[in-house]
Amino acid sequence: MATPPSLATLYSIILGLFLACNIRRIEGRAFFVFGDSLVDSGNNNYLATSARADSPPYGIDYPSRRPTGRFSNGLNIPDIMSENMGSEPPLPYLSPELTGQRLLVGANFASAGVGILNDTGIQFANIIRIALQLEYFQQYQQRVSALIGADKTKQLVNQALVLITLGGNDFVNNYYLVPYSARSRQYSLPDYVKFIISEYQKVLMKLYDLGARRVLVTGTGPMGCVPAELAQRGRNGQCAVELQRASALFNPQLSQILQKLNSKIGKNVFIGANIQQMHNDFISNPGAYGFVTSKIACCGQGPYNGLGLCTPLSNLCPNRGVYAFWDAFHPSEKANKLIVKQIMTGTTQYMTPMNLSTILAMDSEA
């Protein structure tokens, strides 16, 4: 006589069936995020690193009014994209809450301080460099396969949306980190840009090889115009020339490489978001977007509140909604909402070859 299955086994079978049945309902909504502090939702909280945003006043306008590890006064870009898609934002991959059905929503692998290159952000010590983010993506797929099977996992990943934001730290926290940095001695700026673009291409193809089929790739903002650079390198309130030159070289080459990869694959896998133009809009004309300033950070100290970290001892503006920048490097929640609006519905001036709403509509009909 066969031994009846244990309660634990029965539970495991029922959970697997439940998740497999539910995948159809949420399959189009899985969302994976890779990159740096612009999209990190709290992974660095679990790491021994100085690149963290887990103390006040970070999160002052987040629904919980508490710091979450997001480099924002409130919501960040993945949060707002999730809202627009009608889904819950994916949890940080290192969060202990990321289990069971929460895994099917997706995961956020991003880690503040990282870049395209492994030697970017070395001063932050323990951060999840992009190669490890991709390893965790493989590990994630193994975990989900154990729940719903390999075929359904492949389907979930293939039909998911992926967001990747890299590049800014390769300049700010590498090439221009210190005068005569190792990379600036090794490469002229144009050659350095070519080098990191070629390395980025490898990262993007690895994502494709791991099953990503809709990948939204953001360029850098106008790096010389953030409060930190105005304070340290700008002259008379003007954007820092060298970092602006870096943005002007990097972003068009990134756009070209995305088109080249799509041609090679034969499909529009990679979607380019012109973050530089989105930022330029409210930097050049802040009043048109309801901002009183696009130069001074809401939280910080020194010229333009651009020196050092945002801490409980920093200057803090009373109305975050009228500042384009929250801290020395990161947009405010309101600026993030303007950026996501263009990602969702922007013209080809902002989104190449098409905006996210068009892609979601096309995919829902497929």
Side-chain angles (χ1 to χ4, degrees):
M1 186 171 155
T3 308
S6 68
L7 279 175
T9 305
L10 280 171
Y11 174 76
S12 177
I13 293 167
I14 291 164
L15 177 65
L17 287 169
F18 172 75
L19 293 173
C21 290
N22 273 275
I23 188 169
R24 265 205 109 51
R25 184 174 59 80
I26 65 169
E27 63 195 1
R29 286 165 47 196
F31 185 22
F32 301 108
V33 181
F34 300 86
D36 57 28
S37 59
L38 290 165
V39 292
D40 182 356
S41 291
N43 278 312
N44 282 20
N45 289 1
Y46 303 97
L47 303 170
T49 177
S50 59
R52 54 201 305 128
D54 59 348
S55 60
Y58 284 96
I60 190 170
D61 299 309
Y62 192 75
S64 65
R65 302 289 184 261
R66 297 169 65 112
T68 61
R70 291 162 172 82
F71 286 75
S72 172
N73 56 301
L75 303 179
N76 65 9
I77 287 171
D79 294 326
I80 300 160
M81 284 178 64
S82 295
E83 268 186 3
N84 275 265
M85 293 186 291
S87 59
E88 58 184 296
L91 287 169
Y93 187 66
L94 298 184
S95 168
E97 294 172 33
L98 187 66
T99 57
Q101 188 157 8
R102 294 298 296 270
L103 282 162
L104 304 190
V105 172
N108 187 322
F109 302 91
S111 177
V114 306
I116 298 161
L117 303 182
N118 239 0
D119 55 294
T120 291
I122 51 171
Q123 71 273 30
F124 300 127
N126 298 303
I127 49 179
I128 314 171
R129 304 189 190 284
I130 191 60
L132 184 54
Q133 291 185 31
L134 295 173
E135 278 182 42
Y136 282 162
F137 189 35
Q138 287 177 281
Q139 187 184 91
Y140 163 90
Q141 292 185 42
Q142 291 162 2
R143 290 173 66 190
V144 174
S145 291
L147 288 172
I148 61 174
D151 289 346
K152 289 240 172 4
T153 299
K154 184 173 186 290
Q155 182 186 1
L156 181 141
V157 171
N158 287 168
Q159 295 180 350
L161 177 69
V162 175
L163 170 66
I164 184 165
T165 296
L166 286 173
N169 283 323
D170 294 288
F171 297 100
V172 171
N173 284 307
N174 191 330
Y175 194 86
Y176 290 111
L177 178 62
V178 292
Y180 309 108
S181 68
R183 288 296 190 185
S184 69
R185 293 196 307 272
Q186 183 183 8
Y187 292 104
S188 68
L189 180 61
D191 288 342
Y192 182 66
V193 171
K194 283 180 193 162
F195 171 56
I196 61 175
I197 288 286
S198 70
E199 293 299 301
Y200 204 177
Q201 183 174 345
K202 295 173 191 172
V203 169
L204 295 173
M205 281 311 297
K206 177 72 172 174
L207 262 180
Y208 179 79
D209 293 342
L210 291 173
R213 293 296 178 266
R214 283 293 192 202
V215 184
L216 181 64
V217 185
T218 71
T220 72
M223 293 182 286
C225 300
V226 301
E229 300 307 333
L230 291 179
Q232 294 173 66
R233 292 189 175 90
R235 292 189 177 180
N236 303 319
Q238 299 302 303
C239 301
V241 173
E242 274 297 287
L243 277 151
Q244 287 299 87
R245 185 168 161 243
S247 300
L249 287 168
F250 179 82
N251 288 316
Q253 288 183 48
L254 178 60
S255 186
Q256 286 166 15
I257 213 76
L258 299 183
Q259 291 170 37
K260 181 179 157 190
L261 290 174
N262 285 340
S263 296
K264 180 180 167 185
I265 294 164
K267 289 181 180 173
N268 288 323
V269 170
F270 298 102
I271 314 300
N274 188 344
I275 297 291
Q276 182 166 8
Q277 185 57 51
M278 296 175 194
H279 272 273
N280 280 343
D281 288 350
F282 52 77
I283 283 170
S284 60
N285 191 2
Y289 298 88
F291 297 121
V292 296
T293 179
S294 60
K295 294 179 184 289
I296 303 167
C298 168
C299 181
Q301 47 279 313
Y304 307 100
N305 279 343
L307 298 180
L309 303 172
C310 169
T311 73
L313 300 176
S314 298
N315 302 320
L316 180 66
C317 68
N319 182 359
R320 274 74 62 186
V322 296
Y323 283 72
F325 284 96
W326 157 245
D327 65 12
F329 287 103
H330 303 98
S332 63
E333 178 185 278
K334 182 174 174 183
N336 282 334
K337 285 182 174 175
L338 290 169
I339 290 165
V340 173
K341 184 180 178 187
Q342 293 290 16
I343 288 172
M344 297 302 298
T345 61
T347 65
T348 50
Q349 181 187 5
Y350 301 96
M351 298 296 296
T352 310
M354 67 197 90
N355 62 41
L356 187 52
S357 295
T358 305
I359 290 160
L360 294 175
M362 283 169 52
D363 290 351
S364 68
E365 291 164 8

